[in-house]
Each structure stands twice: as structure tokens, then as C-alpha cells.
Amino acid sequence: ESPLGESVRAVVRQNIGTAFLVDRLAAHAGMSKFHFIRRYRQLTGRSPMDDVRMIRVGHARDLILTSTLPLKAIAPMAGLGDPISLYRLFRRYLGMTPGQLRRSVHP
């Protein structure tokens, strides 16, 4: 794994509940926005924001599996605005809804 990708992912994990703009991640990497996006994609095969979304979904998944918090509480904790955004990203990245995941663990 690339040091750039690991560094960006670490910043996202440390600040999971905050909004991220590509500009902020590029500044962290010490690059211009467009150079950062291009280089990140070359090294990781994904856009920086795609990685941010994947990290957020993973964090929300962990919260769903380990707690009984409602989805409306989990979404902002994972840095997602609302349960609808959480639902859409779950469908895209995990192929199931948050409710389906929770029911699979807590029938």
C-alpha cells in the first residue's frame, strides 16, 4: 500500500465524523488538488473521496454490528449527513441495506 494512501486514510479515520473536501486532503498531502487526485488514483486505483466513503461505510458497519444505536445516530457518527445517505452508500459498497446487515446479526 502506498504511503500517500495510508496517510490520507489515517487522517480520515482520526476525523471520521467531520466533512472532508478534496482540498483539505490535498493540503495534508502537500499537493495541489488536481495533482493529488491524479496521484492518489494512480497509487490506489480509487479516487480519494471514494476511499473516504468506503472508510465511512466501514465505520458505520462496525457500529451497526456492535451496537443497538439507531441508524439516525450512526449516520452522523460515520460522517454521513443522514440515514438516507447511509442507506445509499451501503447499497453501493456492501450490496445490502443497513437494516439487512443488522437483522443478519441480531435476528
Side-chain angles (χ1 to χ4, degrees):
E1 203 50 46
S2 77
L4 175 63
E6 285 303 313
S7 173
V8 168
R9 289 182 192 113
V11 167
V12 172
R13 285 185 193 103
Q14 290 169 359
N15 302 286
I16 195 78
T18 57
F20 281 98
L21 298 174
V22 175
D23 297 356
R24 181 175 169 199
L25 296 174
H28 169 75
M31 299 179 189
S32 73
K33 175 181 172 179
F34 297 107
H35 180 67
F36 171 71
I37 292 169
R38 199 171 32 252
R39 187 75 180 132
Y40 196 90
R41 190 179 299 268
Q42 287 173 343
L43 294 171
T44 66
R46 293 181 295 276
S47 75
M49 295 313 290
D50 197 35
D51 255 3
V52 169
R53 286 187 288 273
M54 288 175 59
I55 291 168
R56 291 185 192 286
V57 167
H59 184 69
R61 181 195 64 226
D62 293 346
L63 289 171
I64 289 169
L65 292 174
T66 60
S67 76
T68 57
L69 292 169
L71 296 179
K72 66 181 178 182
I74 290 174
M77 291 172 73
L80 302 166
D82 54 49
I84 293 170
S85 298
L86 177 64
Y87 178 89
R88 286 182 183 144
L89 290 178
F90 254 67
R91 295 284 299 182
R92 181 191 300 171
Y93 291 103
L94 301 178
M96 66 174 59
T97 67
Q100 289 170 328
L101 176 65
R102 182 165 273 166
R103 283 189 298 276
S104 73
V105 176
H106 306 288

